[in-house]
Every structure is written in structure tokens, then in C-alpha cells.
Amino acid sequence: MSLLMFFAAAALLLTVIGIYGVVAFLVVRRSREIGIRMSLGARRGDVLRLVLKQGMKPVAVGSIDGLVGSLAASRLVASQLYGVSSSDPLTFTSIIGLLGTAALLACWIPARRAAWVDPAVALRTE
């Protein structure tokens, strides 16, 4: 059981690192656009919401697809589960909540960095 928990934690860590890397790359790539938005009057909160929304949209779609796929596949593994039903709502909601929280944390750091972009510096670079 501890080996299974180790691999689950490693998978969660790799997921967080992957989401962070993709969102950080997109923020760096769009720093000029973010600088233009901020010079035209966008507030830091607006930029933060924009980056978080764009980072969490694929996570939400993936969570919904994963939920549908796991409900469809739950009938196949129902005979191998002990002490838990194959469509336990508590398990599904806790896993989606854990992954959503981890993804939000992974998106928060680049979003916060994007919100503090200096428009003059962002427009001058490139």
C-alpha cells in the first residue's frame, strides 16, 4: 500500500510541475501582451484572473473527461474493489478537489508573476 501511495504522490508532483511549466511558459511568451493590457488600464487582479482562468480551463475539461471515463470504466474494476463501491461519490469528489487545488497552486505562481509585470519593461523587451 505504501508503494501505491508513493506512486500516487509522484504522479501528483509530476502533474503540478507540468502544469506550472506550461503556465509559466505561456506567461513568459505573453508578457508583451500582458504589458500592453496593463498599460491600457488592466489592474493586477484582472491579469491574475486572466492567467488563472486560462490555466484552469484545461484542468476543468480534463477533470470532467476523467470523471466520465472513470465512471465508464468502474464497471470493469468493480470486482477488484474491497470496501468501496465502484462509483463512490466521496472518492471522486475528493480526487477532483485534490487535483483542482494542486492545479490552482501550480497556476497561482505564474499568474502572480504576470500580475506584477512592469508595462514599460514588458514593452521595451524583445
Side-chain angles (χ1 to χ4, degrees):
M1 188 65 162
S2 63
L3 186 62
L4 184 63
M5 288 177 58
F6 170 74
F7 284 123
L12 182 64
L13 180 67
L14 288 173
T15 301
V16 168
I17 291 170
I19 292 171
Y20 170 78
V22 168
V23 174
F25 173 75
L26 291 176
V27 164
V28 168
R29 213 165 152 178
R30 295 177 63 189
S31 64
R32 186 172 174 97
E33 174 197 342
I34 292 169
I36 292 171
R37 285 178 186 266
M38 291 186 78
S39 66
L40 290 175
R43 294 173 299 189
R44 288 189 170 109
D46 297 334
V47 173
L48 187 71
R49 267 191 303 279
L50 174 76
V51 174
L52 283 175
K53 181 179 164 186
Q54 290 178 347
M56 290 301 289
K57 191 181 293 185
V59 173
V61 170
S63 295
I64 292 169
D65 289 347
L67 180 64
V68 169
S70 64
L71 285 173
S74 66
R75 293 186 186 105
L76 298 173
V77 296
S79 64
Q80 298 175 358
L81 297 175
Y82 301 105
V84 145
S85 71
S86 61
S87 59
D88 184 31
L90 179 64
T91 302
F92 286 124
T93 55
S94 63
I95 294 300
I96 289 175
L98 177 69
L99 288 175
T101 303
L104 187 64
L105 178 67
C107 291
W108 178 263
I109 298 167
R112 199 180 62 166
R113 189 177 312 145
W116 287 96
V117 166
D118 184 22
V121 173
L123 294 174
R124 213 175 300 138
T125 59
E126 202 157 316

